[in-house]
Each structure stands twice: as structure tokens, then as C-alpha cells.
Amino acid sequence: MKQLLLIIILFSTLRADEKNELIIDIEKSLMATCCWSGTVYDHGNKEMEIQIASMVDNGKTKSEIINFYTDKYGERVLSIPVAQGFNIFAWLTPLFFGFLGLLIIFTYMRTSKNDVSPMINSSKSNVKYNDEIERELKELDS
């Protein structure tokens, strides 16, 4: 009899842990609707926490709960945007700029310092209209 009681307590404890993990996972997936500044888990929106816990206790799945909030508030309530339509840019833009930055750094590092052409030091004889420029500069000085 003691063994049966122990098994029942063990399974109820495991079931409670599964529910707690599911609640935490859902809270991390949804934005707090009171101020939209963080997830329910981070912000601590008590109203949503109680509502999510009651839904889990009633046997609803994660997708059902998330669909309930998405229907009520729209995609804005999701902490991670769905990767379809225009939201794909939210996923691809950082990757694009990351690769672009790496390409620029790689190109810069690959350019040898010896490849840089030296500055041309021109003498007076190579400058076209040098005499005319000098004369006009002297006129401006006087």
C-alpha cells in the first residue's frame, strides 16, 4: 500500500512539473499585453499568468492557448514573429547585414598594404599651366 501511495505522489509531482514547464513556455512565447514591453514571463502580468494557468489546468495545449491570444490581440502578442509573409524580413535582414559585414571585413583584411598606390609627387614641370597659376597667386597676394 505504501508503494502505491509513493507511486501516485511521484506521478502527480511529475505531472505538476510538466504543467509548470508548459506554463513557463507559454509565458515566454507571449508578450505582456499591459504595456507590450516584455514577455509575460519577464514582465509578470498577473492577469495573463492566471488565465494561462487556468487554461493549462483545463487541459488546453500550447497551440490552443497561443491561438486564443493571437485571435484576441493579433500577431503582436507573439514574442517571436511567425516566419511567413513580410515577417520573413525580420529573420533575413540580420543575416544579410551580418554576411555583408563579414564580406567587408574579409575584403579589407585581404587587401595588402603593398597594393595601395603611392601618392604621386608632382614637380613644377609636370603641372600644366603652372606658370599661369603662380602668376595668378602672386596677383592675389598683392
Side-chain angles (χ1 to χ4, degrees):
M1 189 65 165
K2 289 182 181 179
Q3 292 175 343
L4 181 62
L5 186 60
L6 223 92
I7 291 173
I8 292 172
I9 292 172
L10 178 66
F11 281 123
S12 65
T13 305
L14 290 175
R15 179 77 175 141
D17 286 343
E18 289 176 11
K19 281 187 177 182
N20 285 339
E21 288 177 15
L22 178 60
I23 290 170
I24 290 171
D25 187 32
I26 294 169
E27 288 177 355
K28 287 182 178 179
S29 300
L30 297 172
M31 297 296 290
T33 57
C34 59
C35 60
W36 303 99
S37 65
T39 63
V40 176
Y41 181 78
D42 294 333
H43 187 267
N45 185 345
K46 291 294 180 196
E47 180 183 331
M48 285 183 74
E49 288 176 354
I50 293 169
Q51 199 171 22
I52 291 169
S54 68
M55 287 180 177
V56 170
D57 288 338
N58 291 336
K60 296 206 178 212
T61 63
K62 178 182 177 181
S63 61
E64 290 174 335
I65 296 170
I66 289 178
N67 286 339
F68 169 77
Y69 281 105
T70 305
D71 292 341
K72 189 173 181 179
Y73 297 105
E75 282 188 20
R76 179 181 181 190
V77 78
L78 300 175
S79 62
I80 299 173
V82 179
Q84 55 179 282
F86 186 74
N87 291 343
I88 291 177
F89 286 113
W91 293 96
L92 296 180
T93 302
L95 293 173
F96 171 74
F97 283 110
F99 285 127
L100 182 65
L102 288 174
L103 179 69
I104 291 170
I105 290 171
F106 178 74
T107 305
Y108 176 76
M109 297 296 283
R110 199 160 174 230
T111 304
S112 173
K113 292 180 181 174
N114 296 334
D115 291 347
V116 178
S117 59
M119 290 183 56
I120 300 173
N121 188 7
S122 61
S123 63
K124 290 183 179 181
S125 61
N126 292 342
V127 177
K128 195 174 186 181
Y129 305 111
N130 188 39
D131 295 334
E132 194 173 325
I133 293 172
E134 287 295 326
R135 183 181 46 81
E136 289 180 6
L137 285 173
K138 285 181 183 176
E139 286 177 11
L140 289 173
D141 285 340
S142 55

